[in-house]
Amino acid sequence: MQKQYQHFFLFIFLLLIFGCCIRRDILIEKQYTADLRNRIVGARLQMDGKPPYFYCWSKGDSMRYYDPVNCCYNSFVEVSVITASPFFHHLLYPMANLPERLISRIWLCLEYFLLITCLLFAFGYSKTIFQKWAIAICVALILFTEAWIDHIILGQSYIVIPFLIFLFFFCFQRNQNPIFSLIAGFATVSLVLIKPTSLIFFVPFIVFIKRYPIRNILFFLLPIIMLGGYCVLDKNERSYWLEYSKAIKAHIENHLVFDGSGENEYGPVAFKKWEGWEADTIRNARIAYPIKFNGESWNVWVFIRKIFKWSIPIVAINFISLFTITVMIIFFYMRQKNDENLSLSLIAIFGFCLYTTSEFLSPITRYQYYGVEWIFPVLLLAANYDKRLKTIYILLLAGLLLNILNTPYLKMRHSIGEIILLVTLLSVCFGRKISIIK
């Protein structure tokens, strides 16, 4: 009976938190989700057989491709603000032809659907009521982080990443069933085709391949071969990926040299009404519920440039990144090579650390909304809550709270919080009490 009461109070707690945050995010969504628009325009251009990555809307073009942010070049290298991969554009096809206002509402629902699914995955790994409460508290804190709020403000898509990682992890554990192997393969290739740098997350899992039956390995590889082959062999798809690669190089050049100065070649074009959005309604929504960006855009190289005024060549950045990640992999292997009971959870957390380190050392600026990716390792650790790791959970709590805090008296608070989260996860991977993580 007592256990039933605890689950009831847990449900009420989550209901109140989600109710409060959904109400807040509905008010935020009414203020226009700018980044969602460039993804929809990219999907529409691709559907219509038009290369999206260097497209810039100008007067006379179809309103179908209109994006007020993409009416000017605000960079040294002229490249579109469209940055989603060709594969992600394909995923948007089913709703891309709907009015933008409706798409924005649908996307808000999808963001919460993916978050709740991650929550349910985490609950599936928990065994005690304390672990469930740890998960619930972490989700509650995440909903109030600047990362989640910025994600909603812009209509961003990074929530897809922890969802796919959870889906892969859930299915990869069930290595005796070929259907789960097939889904794990689909999640893997989907994640890599959405964000190619995520490939590094899967490197530590290679040691577990030998646990798979040959039949299941083939099922796992099937969607990878099919979707990967389509991207390479289809002429149009291959052309989109080649243009995407050129655009990424252009964005890297912009991120490494752009300091916020310079003049736009074209001025932005603004309309009073378009695809269900109205300028007056957007303005009134912003007045009624004012929200401002408190996010921090940074990575190691941006920080060095701002503080020391050093411009580091891209070759040096790539070498340092590769060297750092290689050392991490070697150290982890040497630390864990004799542990026959090494858990998949620990492998997954380490894979996420590799991926996040690559982001921190990337030449592309890391924006605040990337922080929603922490949903995966934080909830997975919460699902393994053990009082013997009390220090670890205190540090996780500190990292999340710093990502909520918005005081001008503490500089780079969100960035410091994310560094604390990464260091905490690495301490779990390299620590002495790793056997606690199941």
Side-chain angles (χ1 to χ4, degrees):
M1 183 65 70
Q2 185 178 3
K3 189 175 181 180
Q4 290 179 341
Y5 277 120
Q6 288 175 331
H7 281 95
F8 173 76
F9 287 125
L10 179 67
F11 175 76
I12 295 300
F13 172 77
L14 285 172
L15 193 64
L16 291 173
I17 291 294
F18 273 92
C20 173
C21 291
I22 288 173
R23 179 182 178 278
R24 176 202 65 196
D25 293 345
I26 288 173
L27 296 174
I28 292 175
E29 183 273 336
K30 293 179 179 179
Q31 301 176 27
Y32 181 62
T33 47
D35 284 358
L36 177 62
R37 180 60 180 177
N38 73 61
R39 283 151 174 70
I40 294 300
V41 169
R44 290 175 177 178
L45 286 165
Q46 201 167 290
M47 288 174 73
D48 298 343
K50 302 177 186 291
Y53 295 106
F54 290 88
Y55 172 81
C56 182
W57 191 91
S58 58
K59 291 181 178 179
D61 290 357
S62 171
M63 288 296 292
R64 175 175 169 80
Y65 312 130
Y66 171 70
D67 181 353
V69 181
N70 199 29
C71 296
C72 59
Y73 288 117
N74 190 20
S75 55
F76 291 101
V77 179
E78 295 178 353
V79 61
S80 170
V81 298
I82 298 169
T83 56
S85 72
F87 178 77
F88 190 77
H89 289 158
H90 282 300
L91 297 180
L92 294 176
Y93 279 10
M95 64 178 178
N97 288 324
L98 298 173
E100 182 69 24
R101 187 68 192 90
L102 177 58
I103 294 173
S104 183
R105 292 189 179 107
I106 293 173
W107 190 252
L108 177 62
C109 295
L110 284 174
E111 287 174 288
Y112 269 94
F113 170 78
L114 295 177
L115 175 63
I116 292 171
T117 304
C118 291
L119 172 66
L120 295 177
F121 274 130
F123 275 151
Y125 296 116
S126 63
K127 296 178 180 179
T128 69
I129 190 63
F130 294 104
Q131 291 171 341
K132 288 181 171 62
W133 269 106
I135 293 168
I137 291 170
C138 286
V139 167
L141 292 173
I142 287 168
L143 282 168
F144 288 98
T145 60
E146 189 64 33
W148 179 263
I149 292 172
D150 285 7
H151 198 276
I152 297 296
I153 290 173
L154 295 168
Q156 262 294 341
S157 53
Y158 278 79
I159 184 63
V160 174
I161 292 174
F163 165 75
L164 287 174
I165 293 178
F166 259 123
L167 180 62
F168 159 79
F169 184 63
F170 176 83
C171 295
F172 191 83
Q173 287 183 306
R174 290 151 179 76
N175 58 8
Q176 299 303 315
N177 191 319
I179 300 301
F180 283 115
S181 298
L182 185 72
I183 298 173
F186 176 76
T188 300
V189 69
S190 297
L191 185 58
V192 173
L193 291 178
I194 288 172
K195 194 168 186 183
T197 55
S198 66
L199 179 65
I200 194 170
F201 166 81
F202 299 99
V203 171
F205 286 90
I206 293 174
V207 297
F208 280 89
I209 292 297
K210 60 184 179 181
R211 299 184 183 182
Y212 266 69
I214 295 297
R215 181 186 63 169
N216 289 21
I217 294 176
L218 294 176
F219 271 88
F220 177 81
L221 293 175
L222 183 61
I224 297 175
I225 294 170
M226 291 180 63
L227 287 175
Y230 172 69
C231 294
V232 173
L233 299 177
D234 184 84
K235 182 179 178 180
N236 289 333
E237 194 69 13
R238 185 171 65 250
S239 69
Y240 293 140
W241 278 101
L242 289 172
E243 189 187 60
Y244 176 70
S245 177
K246 293 178 182 177
I248 293 300
K249 292 177 181 177
H251 282 294
I252 289 174
E253 185 174 345
N254 287 332
H255 282 238
L256 288 177
V257 301
F258 185 58
D259 60 3
S261 62
E263 296 181 358
N264 295 332
E265 183 177 347
Y266 304 103
V269 181
F271 291 94
K272 289 288 186 181
K273 296 181 180 181
W274 53 279
E275 289 201 40
W277 286 106
E278 296 184 8
D280 292 339
T281 303
I282 293 172
R283 184 174 60 254
N284 292 336
R286 290 173 178 172
I287 293 172
Y289 192 78
I291 290 287
K292 67 175 183 177
F293 284 99
N294 293 299
E296 300 165 12
S297 302
W298 80 289
N299 60 19
V300 171
W301 313 118
V302 171
F303 179 77
I304 290 175
R305 186 181 65 200
K306 286 182 177 180
I307 300 301
F308 301 104
K309 311 300 180 184
W310 295 346
S311 294
I312 302 175
I314 183 65
V315 174
I317 290 176
N318 289 335
F319 174 78
I320 293 171
S321 301
L322 181 61
F323 177 79
T324 302
I325 290 169
T326 302
V327 169
M328 289 172 64
I329 292 173
I330 293 173
F331 187 73
F332 183 77
Y333 173 75
M334 296 302 293
R335 181 74 176 83
Q336 314 297 351
K337 66 178 180 178
N338 296 322
D339 186 359
E340 296 182 355
N341 297 316
L342 183 62
S343 72
L344 271 174
S345 293
L346 198 69
I347 287 287
I349 290 170
F350 180 65
F352 186 88
C353 289
L354 293 177
Y355 166 67
T356 304
T357 300
S358 73
E359 284 190 331
F360 284 162
L361 296 176
S362 168
I364 295 289
T365 303
R366 189 177 188 278
Y367 296 101
Q368 190 68 63
Y369 46 75
Y370 283 44
V372 299
E373 295 170 346
W374 293 108
I375 289 171
F376 172 73
V378 168
L379 294 191
L380 188 59
L381 264 183
N384 283 274
Y385 174 78
D386 190 297
K387 61 182 180 181
R388 289 172 289 178
L389 294 176
K390 182 169 59 176
T391 302
I392 294 297
Y393 293 104
I394 290 174
L395 289 171
L396 283 180
L397 182 62
L400 290 174
L401 289 175
L402 282 171
N403 275 273
I404 295 172
L405 195 63
N406 276 315
T407 172
Y409 301 107
L410 182 58
K411 301 298 182 183
M412 295 187 66
R413 53 202 172 274
H414 304 317
S415 304
I416 294 171
E418 292 199 83
I419 292 172
I420 289 175
L421 290 174
L422 178 59
V423 171
T424 302
L425 293 177
L426 287 173
S427 70
V428 171
C429 296
F430 299 134
R432 296 179 180 179
K433 297 181 179 179
I434 55 175
S435 60
I436 296 174
I437 307 299
K438 303 300 182 182

